Amino acid sequence: MDAQSSFRDVLIQSGHLISTGIDGLYGRGRIFEEIVSGLEAQVTEAGRQDGAEVMRFPPAIARQDFEISGYMKSFPDLAGTIHSFCGDERAHQRLICEMVDGNDWTSQQKATDLVLTPAACYPLYPVVARRGNLAPEGHLVDVYSYCFRHEPSLDPARMQMFRQREYVRLGTAEQVLEFRETWLRRGREIVERLLLPMEIDIANDPFFGRAGRLMSDAQREQRLKFELLVPVNDATKPTACVSFNYHMDHFGEAWNLHDWEGRLAHTACVGFGMERLTLALLRHHGTDISGWPRELRTLFWGNA
Amino acid sequence: MDAQSSFRDVLIQSGHLISTGIDGLYGRGRIFEEIVSGLEAQVTEAGRQDGAEVMRFPPAIARQDFEISGYMKSFPDLAGTIHSFCGDERAHQRLICEMVDGNDWTSQQKATDLVLTPAACYPLYPVVARRGNLAPEGHLVDVYSYCFRHEPSLDPARMQMFRQREYVRLGTAEQVLEFRETWLRRGREIVERLLLPMEIDIANDPFFGRAGRLMSDAQREQRLKFELLVPVNDATKPTACVSFNYHMDHFGEAWNLHDWEGRLAHTACVGFGMERLTLALLRHHGTDISGWPRELRTLFWGNA
């Protein structure tokens, strides 16, 4: 299992992943989904006492909100816009002819008002901003969503569509930094309970192009992003399974989010990569769950 | 609450739906999601004895499989293709300029290999077909997915992104028709337990254009589609909350699916519209769940 493709093959042969013929797009079997549900319960339990507001969005956001976010400046290659056919019956005839002839029929497709959600927290900022200034204690939101990133890869830990479970804190710099500290601890505790090897390190987002390298350097210098890494596909290049992000007032400025005193709000989020954590468990404890340590089987499937 | 928009307003004011500014795209609050989970458990319980294979796909399918399905012939206006930016840094500069000037920046986006899932069962047919001929007893699959349909509407029961919980039967005509009969009964029983008014009627899919009207007529004549309807937004035009579909050998032919004797496989599916059923419950039993009948509160939240 040295090559990236071979862990993927094992996952497919054992029925945990279902091949769709597209790199990075997989169906999942029952056990895989039970592990995802169990992880979700762990994250919920860790945050229960905080009383976060639960928001669940479908995997798309309004294009206008997406444009405001600045995502296309930083990660244009990863975004997925949703396009539809808007023509009449004649245009439809042409489309079908293109399809039959094996030509590109997608050039007629027009952009809709929707863009695929790039990270689970994006849809909530404009919603919270429309409510007016934050309360003195700020706000805390619990989100869970499919996300899309256009990065076809043989690495099963780099999917094009995957689920992120996040908590998002909005408030003053002090409030959101304290939140991030709390979750750095809780994230480590959760992954310790999963009996997985880990390290936590400073990280950067994959900003696009040469200007992007400057952004990445600045992000690292300012210690804005930490990742909890677990070896999944490659022992020498562990995979980020949880990330802890301080956005400063980037989203506050983009969406006009203000704290109770009218200053730009700061935000931070902790995001759990549900597929990546599941893959880490299958990698370290085996694809046959009957061989997992007893405490883990109890954690996920009770005492049955 | 006579106009379509007013039930929507009530849902937003009561926190069940969260406005995104886009018609048909809503976030959901905690209670709404708890109802969805409870419904999912009901459907799972009704089918438990059958031992269906669980498959969970992300909300997109391979474009090639989508093309083969024939969806663009029948419902071109509803599909959503996923497009991405594939250019270099110069192209990125142009894109950002278009964005800053308020021009259409999406014309540079190129179609990816992915299309949004139009109905929860679409991804499974090519997967099952690649395994070879079906067994003599055929096959049964349990799927649950977000689906996309490009039909912005003020009617909260007509969302652009919504969840379908489906069982799909593949086999001989006799096998799949028997499955549909069984689920016509089970669907009715589930909705009876939800204490909702209902009727079951012959239906048709919204085929595109004038030729589409002939398709709709043929579908009705052959009694291929039934719907379980509950009044949600409009008492005179009840909403399809569950559908029972016999595809004959349409998908068998499209994806080369064969039964154990090598004949084209027939398929049928039952699909539960999770958002629509939840809206029906909120409409008939009230948006304040403390006023729901006690047996329903027990069904969804136990005896707590």
Side-chain angles (χ1 to χ4, degrees):
Chain A
M1 296 214 297
D2 287 334
Q4 285 195 337
S5 57
S6 29
F7 182 46
R8 192 176 76 142
D9 291 347
V10 169
L11 291 162
I12 290 170
Q13 278 152 27
S14 53
H16 292 299
L17 294 187
I18 300 167
S19 171
T20 67
I22 300 284
D23 293 335
L25 185 79
Y26 302 99
R28 270 80 59 147
R30 183 174 58 82
I31 303 285
F32 192 103
E33 291 300 300
E34 287 173 0
I35 299 170
V36 168
S37 298
L39 288 170
E40 217 271 310
Q42 292 288 308
V43 177
T44 297
E45 194 49 43
R48 188 177 303 280
Q49 68 205 66
D50 304 335
E53 178 184 2
V54 173
M55 292 188 186
R56 292 290 179 268
F57 293 93
I61 69 172
R63 178 147 63 88
Q64 197 182 351
D65 285 329
F66 175 78
E67 289 169 358
I68 287 169
S69 76
Y71 195 87
M72 286 305 285
K73 278 193 202 120
S74 299
F75 319 106
D77 47 331
L78 299 180
T81 46
I82 302 177
H83 297 231
S84 275
F85 169 78
C86 303
D88 58 10
E89 290 189 61
R90 284 173 73 102
H92 183 227
Q93 277 302 331
R94 282 201 303 278
L95 186 156
I96 296 303
C97 289
E98 298 289 7
M99 221 175 207
V100 168
D101 294 344
N103 294 331
D104 176 22
W105 57 272
T106 62
S107 56
Q108 283 198 53
Q109 299 285 98
K110 296 242 181 306
T112 68
D113 286 340
L114 302 179
V115 177
L116 289 171
T117 302
C121 58
Y122 273 62
L124 75 87
Y125 302 110
V127 165
V128 175
R130 281 193 283 270
R131 293 178 181 169
N133 287 6
L134 296 170
E137 69 275 18
H139 200 50
L140 178 66
V141 184
D142 159 339
V143 284
Y144 188 21
S145 176
Y146 261 104
C147 306
F148 174 79
R149 293 192 192 159
H150 186 238
E151 43 179 1
S153 167
L154 281 175
D155 179 354
R158 194 167 289 283
M159 293 189 185
Q160 296 198 63
M161 290 196 129
F162 56 94
R163 282 163 286 185
Q164 267 184 353
R165 175 74 168 78
E166 286 196 27
Y167 283 101
V168 186
R169 185 80 168 97
L170 309 94
T172 64
E174 296 69 34
Q175 287 167 340
V176 311
L177 280 168
E178 190 196 340
F179 160 89
R180 191 173 66 161
E181 280 310 304
T182 302
W183 275 100
L184 273 161
R185 178 175 53 73
R186 289 178 183 170
R188 185 189 287 276
E189 286 166 0
I190 289 172
V191 178
E192 269 167 9
R193 265 200 303 278
L194 302 177
L195 310 177
L196 293 172
M198 74 176 105
E199 53 178 313
I200 289 179
D201 203 359
I202 292 178
N204 62 270
D205 288 307
F207 292 97
F208 182 77
R210 268 166 304 176
R213 248 167 279 157
L214 302 177
M215 304 279 283
S216 299
D217 291 345
Q219 193 183 25
R220 295 181 84 92
E221 253 164 53
Q222 294 174 83
R223 303 171 66 85
L224 299 181
K225 186 182 190 73
F226 289 88
E227 288 176 339
L228 187 155
L229 304 139
V230 183
V232 177
N233 233 341
D234 184 340
T236 60
K237 275 177 60 184
T239 297
C241 292
V242 191
S243 72
F244 312 86
N245 307 286
Y246 173 35
H247 318 121
M248 299 199 289
D249 58 5
H250 172 77
F251 290 130
E253 195 172 3
W255 279 299
N256 250 320
L257 252 165
H258 295 93
D259 69 16
W260 64 295
E261 293 191 304
R263 295 169 304 198
L264 283 180
H266 285 233
T267 61
C269 70
V270 52
F272 290 81
M274 305 308 279
E275 281 76 12
R276 287 183 171 182
L277 282 167
T278 303
L279 293 171
L281 285 162
L282 292 169
R283 180 59 184 249
H284 287 276
H285 302 302
T287 52
D288 177 1
I289 55 166
S290 69
W292 282 22
R294 194 199 317 207
E295 62 255 57
L296 273 190
R297 281 186 286 140
T298 306
L299 198 68
F300 283 94
W301 291 279
N303 291 305
Chain B
M1 293 212 300
D2 286 334
Q4 286 195 335
S5 57
S6 30
F7 182 45
R8 193 177 76 142
D9 291 346
V10 170
L11 291 163
I12 290 170
Q13 279 152 26
S14 54
H16 292 299
L17 294 188
I18 301 167
S19 171
T20 67
I22 300 285
D23 294 335
L25 185 80
Y26 303 99
R28 269 82 57 147
R30 183 174 57 82
I31 304 284
F32 193 102
E33 292 300 300
E34 287 173 358
I35 299 170
V36 168
S37 298
L39 287 169
E40 217 271 310
Q42 291 289 307
V43 176
T44 298
E45 193 49 43
R48 188 177 302 280
Q49 68 204 66
D50 304 334
E53 178 182 2
V54 173
M55 292 187 185
R56 292 290 179 267
F57 294 92
I61 69 172
R63 179 147 64 88
Q64 196 180 352
D65 285 329
F66 174 78
E67 290 170 357
I68 287 170
S69 76
Y71 195 87
M72 286 305 284
K73 278 194 200 118
S74 300
F75 318 107
D77 47 330
L78 298 179
T81 47
I82 302 176
H83 297 230
S84 275
F85 169 78
C86 303
D88 58 11
E89 291 189 62
R90 284 174 73 102
H92 183 226
Q93 277 302 332
R94 281 202 304 278
L95 185 154
I96 296 303
C97 290
E98 297 289 6
M99 222 173 204
V100 168
D101 293 345
N103 295 331
D104 176 22
W105 58 273
T106 62
S107 56
Q108 282 198 54
Q109 299 285 98
K110 296 241 179 308
T112 68
D113 286 340
L114 302 179
V115 177
L116 289 171
T117 303
C121 59
Y122 273 62
L124 76 88
Y125 301 110
V127 165
V128 175
R130 280 194 283 270
R131 294 178 181 171
N133 287 5
L134 296 170
E137 68 276 17
H139 200 51
L140 178 67
V141 183
D142 160 338
V143 285
Y144 188 21
S145 176
Y146 261 104
C147 305
F148 174 79
R149 294 194 192 156
H150 186 239
E151 43 179 2
S153 167
L154 281 175
D155 178 355
R158 194 166 290 284
M159 293 188 184
Q160 295 198 65
M161 289 196 129
F162 56 93
R163 283 162 286 185
Q164 269 185 351
R165 175 76 168 75
E166 286 196 28
Y167 283 101
V168 186
R169 185 80 169 97
L170 309 94
T172 63
E174 296 69 35
Q175 287 168 340
V176 310
L177 281 167
E178 190 197 339
F179 160 89
R180 191 174 66 162
E181 280 309 304
T182 301
W183 275 101
L184 273 161
R185 177 174 53 74
R186 289 178 182 168
R188 185 190 288 276
E189 285 166 1
I190 289 172
V191 178
E192 269 167 8
R193 266 199 302 278
L194 302 176
L195 309 177
L196 293 173
M198 74 176 103
E199 53 178 314
I200 290 180
D201 204 357
I202 291 178
N204 63 269
D205 288 307
F207 292 97
F208 181 76
R210 269 167 303 174
R213 250 167 278 157
L214 301 176
M215 305 279 283
S216 299
D217 291 345
Q219 195 184 23
R220 296 181 84 92
E221 253 164 53
Q222 294 173 86
R223 304 171 65 86
L224 298 181
K225 186 181 190 73
F226 289 88
E227 288 177 340
L228 188 156
L229 303 140
V230 183
V232 177
N233 232 342
D234 183 341
T236 61
K237 274 177 61 185
T239 297
C241 291
V242 192
S243 72
F244 311 87
N245 307 286
Y246 173 35
H247 317 120
M248 298 200 290
D249 58 6
H250 172 78
F251 289 131
E253 195 172 2
W255 279 300
N256 249 321
L257 250 167
H258 296 92
D259 69 16
W260 63 296
E261 294 191 304
R263 295 168 305 196
L264 282 180
H266 285 234
T267 61
C269 70
V270 53
F272 290 81
M274 305 307 278
E275 281 76 12
R276 287 183 171 182
L277 282 167
T278 303
L279 293 171
L281 285 161
L282 293 168
R283 179 60 183 248
H284 287 277
H285 303 302
T287 53
D288 177 1
I289 56 164
S290 68
W292 282 22
R294 193 198 317 205
E295 62 256 57
L296 273 189
R297 280 186 286 141
T298 306
L299 199 67
F300 283 94
W301 292 279
N303 291 305

